[in-house]
Amino acid sequence: MARPRKPLLSRERIVTTASALVDSEGLAAVSTRRLAAELGVSGPSLYNHFRTKDEILEAVADAVSAQVDLSMFDETDGRDWRTALHDWAVSYRAALSDHPNIVPVLAHGPGRRPAGLRVADAVFGAMVRAGWPPAQATYIGALMRYFITGSALGSFARGFVDDETAYDPADYPHLGQAHLLADRRQKVDNGAFETGLRALVDGLALQFADSRPPADGG
């Protein structure tokens, strides 16, 4: 009986395996040697698809960017720019929250990554169509990336320990409930993100209204 053939090595298999490794063990766990072992191939065979480990991590980051919903920026979607920006930010954060260990790579910007560039293009295009000047549309895209990636880099609530004795009222009179934050991480972090997001979008809306010429043209 013939031996079962090993699956052919492909960029997709490498990226999928690397992504799982990053998710479970972090960026430091990824090496060409480790990936080759996980894939059951020789190390040099990876170089037929990627020249360096950094290229592999860039591809993993781009695969996460590809998970971000951009439908709200389609010209036929019908959502106004405020709603579209909000809904996109929620989708973007959800994708990063599913893969927090790759966020430091994504935070560097899209570079040459196709999916990352599609995200940047969609946001910029939608803001310009809505009436924002190109320079301001660029600032909005940058602002939103700072806010979203920053929120995904770490958990505010997880930064507190669940030991009540760590927060002596004599030293920290306003942190009497801080030991409960870690156990309520998802609620706290989601609430903080939504509060900040709405503040950002509402603030942009005020700027947008101030930049519009009067209705009578005077």
Side-chain angles (χ1 to χ4, degrees):
M1 177 180 290
R3 293 180 179 179
R5 297 178 61 186
K6 291 182 179 179
L8 292 175
L9 190 61
S10 64
R11 286 179 64 91
E12 183 179 1
R13 278 193 67 212
I14 295 170
V15 171
T16 299
T17 302
S19 181
L21 196 55
V22 171
D23 286 346
S24 61
E25 299 183 36
L27 293 172
V30 179
S31 68
T32 52
R33 178 179 296 181
R34 177 71 184 278
L35 281 173
E38 295 283 336
L39 290 160
V41 299
S42 63
S45 63
L46 297 178
Y47 297 116
N48 293 323
H49 302 277
F50 295 97
R51 292 176 296 177
T52 65
K53 181 188 81 170
D54 286 343
E55 281 194 0
I56 296 172
L57 292 177
E58 288 287 317
V60 171
D62 211 38
V64 173
S65 294
Q67 298 173 20
V68 180
D69 182 13
L70 299 176
S71 63
M72 65 286 296
F73 295 132
D74 192 287
E75 293 186 54
T76 63
D77 181 81
R79 275 172 273 194
D80 61 61
W81 70 265
R82 292 180 59 178
T83 304
L85 202 61
H86 174 278
D87 294 351
W88 163 73
V90 170
S91 174
Y92 196 174
R93 179 174 178 262
L96 299 192
S97 296
D98 287 342
H99 306 280
N101 291 336
I102 199 65
V103 173
V105 178
L106 282 159
H108 292 158
R112 297 176 181 271
R113 299 193 301 265
L117 289 170
R118 282 193 290 273
V119 171
D121 182 73
V123 176
F124 178 80
M127 295 304 101
V128 170
R129 285 198 309 275
W132 285 98
Q136 287 296 117
T138 300
Y139 301 155
I140 291 170
L143 166 67
M144 298 304 292
R145 184 168 67 82
Y146 298 153
F147 175 66
I148 297 165
T149 57
S151 74
L153 279 171
S155 164
F156 174 82
R158 191 175 284 168
F160 295 85
V161 298
D162 61 0
D163 179 3
E164 187 174 3
T165 65
Y167 307 105
D168 189 329
D171 297 321
Y172 315 108
H174 306 296
L175 296 182
Q177 301 296 307
H179 65 286
L180 302 175
L181 291 175
D183 191 47
R184 301 172 183 175
R185 180 183 64 82
Q186 186 172 9
K187 181 178 180 180
V188 172
D189 291 345
N190 287 347
F193 178 78
E194 185 63 29
T195 298
L197 177 58
R198 290 193 177 279
L200 280 176
V201 175
D202 288 348
L204 288 171
L206 290 175
Q207 290 186 34
F208 187 77
D210 288 343
S211 70
R212 299 295 88 193
D216 60 4

